[in-house]
Amino acid sequence: MQRDEDAQLVTRLAGGDETALEPLYEHYGKLVFSLALRIVHDSATAEEVTQEVFVRLWRSAASFAAERGSVQTWLLRITHNLALNEIRRRQSRPVAADHFDWTVEGTLLVDSRQDGDPALAAWLRERAASIQHALAQLPEAQRKAIALAFFGGLSQAEVAAALGEPLGTVKSRIRVGMQRLRDLLLADGIDAHSLEASTYENER
Amino acid sequence: MRTKDSNSMMNELHHVTDLLDAYALGALEAYEVAQVEAHLELCPVCRAQAEVARAIAQQLLLSAPLVAPPAGLKAKVLARVHAAAAQDRAVAEAVAPTSVAANAPDKPEVTRRRTMLRRMLDTMLGAEPLNTEDPVAALLLKLLAEPACEVWSVAGTKDAPKNAAARFVGVPNDREGVLITAGLRNLAPDQAYQVWLLHDGKPEPNALFRVERGGRGHQIVQAPTRLRDFEVVAVTPEPASGSPAPTGPIVLMGALTA
Ligand SMILES: [Zn+2]
């Protein structure tokens, strides 16, 4: 199982075995890079973030191995944090640039040739498609407010300012949009009540 | 949504339901985050809803379209981790090397020193690998290994950028120290930063240095007598050849208290 394999790799990392990093990069490098790119909108910066994420993984391996959490969940959270830090540091918030269309670009950009673990890669593609599908069913205004907050690192007030909408409108779009996403994901068979259920390992 | 139980109407009115989605997305203001977190400590109803919102947000992290990274990235990642590993080993060997061999867990003081040293090396080097032959790195590793070593905080003043800060590392009974800075402004080519050590309130001129990207700089400071004879370390911008007395505004200052 993926989880056991990852856990063994992290245990090796924790013991100072650097060679365990390459298989972990094979499994998750693309996922980390893709999320970083989604947030920073720049390939060179996304590469920087990816490097930093794996250095963090190396240095946190000991405490991480003890917690026995999911590597994928942990990597995504760290990537999200570091990528948002990066855009805040540069203060070049990609507000206007966030005209991202999941439905189109999502499928076009997928490249399955470099995947280290075909089963994991297939699962990730399927899961990404499923989330993208749910997002695509939201009204544009709700999707945009959620994306600006979550991938742009903006507060609700900043989202309102960026869109030129009243704060109350933005707040309700975020609430209604999130509720709708929850319903769609539940209907799609994803157990939104359990964080761990959203990872590859637990679904197999 | 609302359950009628032993909770009073007053408590129900204070549920934070309306804030939980924005909380999960990280879109609340700081005062709202404090409000939500204080409430979550007490309220299992909101806690359960917050957990669901967090799960949705976690799902959103998977929504990024999968893009193949540039071919060279794997090698860069492995090289960065290799450099970090080498640095960690150098740090572990420098500070209390005997405890590395022993199976006993490190003493908190050893862990603290190693963490400090690693952070300073990270600040000093950025993404560059550690070169233990480098005189500043070598001195830093040597100093942090001394039980009597002090790490003094040196703060940015109102004349420095907001995130300017530094550490000054040295053994009070010795003359050598290392100053590591971050967040300083880049100076014009005809200027340099100058270190001052204050004795009885009088600044004595010391080393000159320049900063790189991110305002990062590092400089060996050789004091004329023991470091404990000085009360304060300060930094000013000066002409590139240095000044006998400070002419620029103080940008960094820290007390050398024991
Ligand atoms: Zn509540």
Side-chain angles (χ1 to χ4, degrees):
Chain A
M1 249 175 70
Q2 193 65 35
R3 177 169 214 134
D4 292 340
E5 194 190 331
D6 285 349
Q8 282 171 15
L9 290 169
V10 171
T11 306
R12 277 170 54 197
L13 276 191
D17 177 2
E18 278 175 54
T19 61
L21 201 88
E22 187 166 350
L24 283 165
Y25 178 86
E26 294 287 352
H27 292 165
Y28 299 111
K30 183 175 183 176
L31 185 64
V32 166
F33 176 78
S34 300
L35 176 58
L37 185 65
R38 171 73 185 85
I39 295 168
V40 301
H41 298 287
D42 165 67
S43 186
T45 312
E47 284 195 62
E48 283 292 320
V49 170
T50 305
Q51 292 175 48
E52 189 58 36
V53 167
F54 281 95
V55 170
R56 296 283 177 105
L57 176 63
W58 160 256
R59 286 190 163 155
S60 311
S63 54
F64 188 72
E67 285 170 28
R68 306 192 57 77
S70 147
V71 176
Q72 180 204 303
T73 304
W74 189 89
L75 285 172
L76 287 173
R77 282 201 197 126
I78 297 290
T79 306
H80 186 232
N81 286 342
L82 292 179
L84 286 181
N85 286 349
E86 191 58 31
I87 60 172
R88 285 182 187 128
R89 197 176 66 75
R90 287 184 303 162
Q91 292 189 323
S92 62
R93 294 175 155 175
V95 172
D98 209 310
H99 297 306
F100 208 89
D101 187 344
W102 279 277
T103 48
V104 183
E105 298 181 56
T107 41
L108 285 181
L109 291 170
V110 171
D111 172 6
S112 60
R113 282 167 299 173
Q114 293 191 357
D115 295 318
D117 178 340
L120 173 61
W123 181 88
L124 286 172
R125 274 199 303 278
E126 190 188 304
R127 176 46 35 90
S130 157
I131 314 301
Q132 286 157 15
H133 180 68
L135 279 163
Q137 290 181 62
L138 296 188
E140 167 81 24
Q142 290 173 14
R143 189 166 61 225
K144 204 169 195 175
I146 289 172
L148 282 173
F150 197 52
F151 294 114
L154 302 188
S155 70
Q156 295 186 112
E158 289 168 323
V159 172
L163 295 174
E165 303 274 7
L167 179 57
T169 306
V170 165
K171 285 183 176 176
S172 82
R173 280 179 190 167
I174 284 177
R175 276 212 66 196
V176 175
M178 286 287 281
Q179 299 304 313
R180 178 102 179 97
L181 268 186
R182 189 196 62 182
D183 295 343
L184 287 165
L185 293 174
L186 285 173
D188 206 19
I190 297 169
D191 180 8
H193 289 86
S194 160
L195 237 185
E196 289 298 302
S198 68
T199 64
Y200 173 67
E201 306 90 59
N202 284 320
E203 285 185 22
R204 298 174 89 205
Chain B
M1 270 287 166
R2 299 200 166 168
T3 51
K4 293 275 176 214
D5 53 17
S6 57
N7 284 348
S8 68
M9 288 298 286
M10 279 301 284
N11 276 340
E12 289 185 28
L13 289 175
H14 288 89
H15 280 311
V16 292
T17 319
D18 286 358
L19 296 175
L20 292 175
D21 290 310
Y23 175 67
L25 296 174
L28 292 180
E29 307 296 336
Y31 75 91
E32 294 171 309
V33 171
Q35 185 190 336
V36 167
E37 287 176 354
H39 182 83
L40 290 182
E41 294 246 320
L42 306 169
C43 178
V45 178
C46 288
R47 238 182 355 250
Q49 289 181 34
E51 203 45 47
V52 174
R54 198 164 71 110
I56 305 285
Q58 181 70 29
Q59 292 287 330
L60 281 176
L61 292 179
L62 283 166
S63 75
L66 291 170
V67 180
L73 182 56
K74 182 166 118 180
K76 286 187 199 166
V77 165
L78 297 180
R80 266 293 290 285
V81 171
H82 186 67
Q87 183 174 317
D88 294 349
R89 275 192 297 273
V91 165
E93 277 161 26
V95 179
T98 47
S99 75
V100 178
N103 245 348
D106 292 325
K107 288 183 187 131
E109 173 59 19
V110 169
T111 309
R112 197 178 69 87
R113 268 170 197 272
R114 285 185 182 153
T115 306
M116 268 191 317
L117 180 52
R118 225 176 56 195
R119 289 215 181 112
M120 285 188 280
L121 289 170
D122 281 341
T123 308
M124 207 169 106
L125 301 165
E128 297 291 311
L130 171 71
N131 170 12
T132 48
E133 311 281 300
D134 177 77
V136 187
L139 178 57
L140 198 59
L141 290 166
K142 191 188 117 199
L143 288 172
L144 259 297
E146 303 253 354
C149 175
E150 293 277 348
V151 177
W152 291 288
S153 282
V154 182
T157 67
K158 63 174 174 49
D159 290 307
K162 239 187 214 154
N163 58 343
R167 294 284 182 277
F168 186 55
V169 184
V171 176
N173 278 329
D174 277 333
R175 296 182 176 198
E176 272 181 330
V178 175
L179 181 73
I180 297 164
T181 71
L184 287 179
R185 238 174 245 116
N186 275 297
L187 295 176
D190 59 344
Q191 283 192 303
Y193 285 107
Q194 186 157 13
V195 181
W196 306 89
L197 292 173
L198 274 71
H199 174 63
D200 286 340
K202 191 179 157 294
E204 297 189 6
N206 207 293
L208 293 157
F209 67 99
R210 302 191 61 82
V211 298
E212 306 159 42
R213 208 164 67 92
R216 294 188 287 112
H218 51 270
Q219 179 58 47
I220 294 179
V221 173
Q222 298 274 0
T225 61
R226 297 178 306 175
L227 287 173
R228 65 182 305 162
D229 298 335
F230 298 88
E231 311 92 57
V232 168
V233 61
V235 171
T236 62
E238 298 294 337
S241 56
S243 299
T247 63
I250 295 175
V251 290
L252 292 172
M253 189 156 81
L256 302 180
T257 46

